[in-house]
Amino acid sequence: MKKVLLLIVLGLAQNALAETPAQFIASYSAEAGAGFIADATRGKAFASRNWGVSEKLASCTACHTDNLRNPGRHAVTGKAIQPLSPAVNPERFSDPAKVEKWFKRNCKEVVGRACSAAEKADFIQYAMGGK
Amino acid sequence: MKRALIILAGLVALPAWAGEHGRAIPLPAVYKTECGSCHTPFPPALLSAADWQKTMAGLDKHFGTDASLDAKTAEEISAWLKRNAGGRASATGAEPRITASAWFKREHREMPAKTWQDSRVKSAANCAACHKGADQGRYGEREIDVPGMGRWED
């Protein structure tokens, strides 16, 4: 009986830790406020916009390209970056700590401020459609 | 006896030679993740312990970027870097830059200038552009393939 309970608890714990792009969108959307619906077109516009903050890293697309299904490339170092689209790269938007870390870093660097929950939801929605 | 000693001395020296010339030390997953996302995860032997300490102390101003880490991760990586640091002092200013070091310039002296400007290379820090095993920490000659030049023949 104890063993069964342990397995159930572990199973539940697994589900609590694992996340999917859809779950990220849902939680950022909820944070954005009642009635907010994530929009891929808005997300694309956000990703393509030149924020005028960093010279070399002016937009998300500077590294991630205008097609998130493609591999990207760091605009300064030239390092290859795996595609952001979860359709092509199932690792993307699966780890809450990783998602938060990169939003925090890249928004500060490129956008010049923290991204709002709405912007994050839109961006992931765009990344899911990936075109 | 004398011959045996000479051979023994050579064998003992081999790891040091190998360390400089392509024998990869394994890169911990945390290092590849945290220090190999934006650039090649550089081999720790390429900077001195003091230079690594300087780098880790200034992560918030890391070559123009805020690359700060949480304290626990920073500590873990710093310890590994210190343990595996190299003996050479590098060219440095406030920010130790591997590609500006005398060692780097000497190692790459046979590279024509135009190669560094090739868009496929983009940056001297982009080791993987030519060193195909760089992301795993390997720099052996057999894995060198230079864009516009091809495999390295010595």
Side-chain angles (χ1 to χ4, degrees):
Chain A
M1 182 58 183
K2 246 199 201 164
K3 206 162 153 190
V4 173
L5 279 176
L6 182 64
L7 285 173
I8 291 171
V9 168
L10 283 177
L12 288 173
Q14 275 270 305
N15 287 335
L17 289 174
E19 293 233 31
T20 66
Q23 286 174 357
F24 278 107
I25 292 171
S27 67
Y28 285 131
S29 296
E31 202 187 319
F36 178 84
I37 311 262
D39 182 275
T41 308
R42 250 190 342 242
K44 184 176 163 94
F46 178 86
S48 316
R49 180 171 159 183
N50 180 329
W51 296 92
V53 173
S54 163
E55 192 196 326
K56 294 238 169 121
L57 308 175
S59 63
C60 309
T61 53
C63 292
H64 291 298
T65 83
D66 55 13
N67 183 343
L68 298 186
R69 287 173 179 246
N70 289 342
R73 202 182 181 203
H74 197 285
V76 175
T77 67
K79 173 97 176 28
I81 297 173
Q82 295 301 305
L84 253 192
S85 165
V88 170
N89 184 351
E91 274 184 22
R92 293 303 198 183
F93 304 109
S94 65
D95 176 346
K98 193 172 173 186
V99 170
E100 262 309 299
K101 179 181 91 175
W102 286 109
F103 269 135
K104 184 175 169 192
R105 267 199 202 166
N106 292 344
C107 289
K108 177 177 169 180
E109 180 134 45
V110 177
V111 183
R113 55 166 173 81
C115 290
S116 66
E119 288 166 338
K120 292 175 189 174
D122 285 340
F123 184 86
I124 302 175
Q125 189 69 61
Y126 165 51
M128 277 189 77
K131 250 191 356 172
Chain B
M1 182 60 179
K2 202 170 174 189
R3 200 158 68 147
L5 280 176
I6 290 169
I7 292 170
L8 188 62
L11 286 173
V12 166
L14 207 55
W17 176 86
E20 285 217 6
H21 288 91
R23 173 80 68 203
I25 70 151
L27 305 176
V30 66
Y31 184 66
K32 284 197 268 193
T33 299
E34 301 299 348
C35 309
S37 306
C38 302
H39 56 62
T40 305
F42 302 116
L46 298 191
L47 286 180
S48 64
D51 281 340
W52 281 124
Q53 191 175 29
K54 242 193 242 178
T55 303
M56 293 301 288
L59 282 182
D60 58 334
K61 292 181 192 49
H62 185 64
F63 296 94
T65 281
D66 180 353
S68 352
L69 300 168
D70 64 272
K72 181 168 171 287
T73 307
E75 174 55 47
E76 193 185 336
I77 291 176
S78 291
W80 178 79
L81 286 170
K82 186 174 174 183
R83 250 190 341 266
N84 294 283
R88 53 178 74 94
S90 54
T92 69
E95 296 201 84
R97 190 183 283 267
I98 290 169
T99 57
S101 68
W103 172 84
F104 184 90
K105 290 177 183 171
R106 203 168 52 243
E107 279 296 305
H108 295 85
R109 65 189 180 280
E110 290 179 53
M111 292 308 305
K114 72 171 186 341
T115 305
W116 300 114
Q117 286 130 32
D118 190 303
S119 63
R120 289 166 291 188
V121 178
K122 196 177 189 81
S123 160
N126 187 14
C127 310
C130 305
H131 294 280
K132 300 307 178 184
D135 285 343
Q136 315 310 323
R138 300 192 311 266
Y139 291 82
E141 281 188 4
R142 267 174 266 187
E143 287 188 281
I144 299 175
D145 191 347
V146 181
M149 279 176 64
R151 300 278 309 271
W152 191 253
E153 308 289 337
D154 217 8

